Amino acid sequence: MKIKEIQEEIVAEFSMFDDWMERYEYIIELGKNLPLIKEEFKTENNLIKGCQSKVWLQGEQAEDKVAFTADSDAILTKGIIAILIRTFSNQSPADILDANMDFIDEIGLKEHLSPTRANGLVSMIKNIKMYALAFNSKN
């Protein structure tokens, strides 16, 4: 499935909820279902700088795709990274770099996060794009 299709799916899922409390609960639920990062990847190098909570992100290139795993010590943050991993994992580096991020605004995520969490979201996206850039330059 292409990134744009996954983003459209996420926007549709979020539009089913009437208020932000329901959306927060959904984000938390997504975090609970996040496939966990291996303990050996929970290192200082994989910690995302700029997040209020601890978020570890690991990216590996498998053939021409990038596979991501992550974890966080905060349940809401774990849900946010789960949304990003669902969107960008198993995509090509070029597609990740070209991806439009409007879906974040469409689901209202940035505006409903505290400023520090919104900064963390931006940092998560930046790290995902940096992995894609690194793998893209290897090809």
Side-chain angles (χ1 to χ4, degrees):
M1 193 180 267
K2 297 218 174 291
I3 290 174
K4 186 78 185 134
E5 294 167 345
I6 296 167
Q7 291 173 339
E8 287 167 0
E9 225 177 57
I10 292 169
V11 169
E13 288 166 14
F14 272 80
S15 70
M16 293 187 300
F17 301 108
D18 296 327
D19 63 44
W20 260 93
M21 284 315 297
E22 290 177 352
R23 289 179 183 197
Y24 284 132
E25 286 171 18
Y26 183 61
I27 293 170
I28 289 168
E29 206 51 48
L30 292 173
K32 289 177 182 173
N33 296 322
L34 177 69
L36 286 189
I37 192 171
K38 291 180 183 158
E39 280 302 313
E40 73 238 35
F41 294 129
K42 281 188 166 183
T43 63
E44 192 66 32
N45 281 346
N46 288 335
L47 263 179
I48 295 179
K49 312 289 181 269
C51 283
Q52 174 181 342
S53 46
K54 288 187 174 181
V55 180
W56 296 270
L57 177 70
Q58 167 67 19
E60 292 178 1
Q61 192 165 17
E63 295 171 25
D64 62 339
K65 308 279 187 210
V66 183
F68 292 102
T69 56
D71 196 8
S72 175
D73 61 355
I75 191 68
L76 187 66
T77 308
K78 201 173 187 169
I80 294 167
I81 195 73
I83 291 170
L84 296 176
I85 285 180
R86 175 175 162 192
T87 306
F88 297 111
S89 200
N90 301 311
Q91 301 291 336
S92 75
D95 287 345
I96 294 169
L97 291 170
D98 292 343
N100 183 314
M101 299 309 297
D102 288 349
F103 85 107
I104 300 283
D105 294 329
E106 284 181 52
I107 62 176
L109 193 53
K110 216 184 282 181
E111 68 184 272
H112 285 90
L113 295 175
S114 66
T116 51
R117 281 229 164 87
N119 287 345
L121 171 64
V122 170
S123 296
M124 289 179 218
I125 293 167
K126 194 165 79 180
N127 277 45
I128 287 170
K129 297 254 183 183
M130 284 180 1
Y131 268 113
L133 189 62
F135 293 134
N136 199 40
S137 62
K138 285 181 184 176
N139 295 338

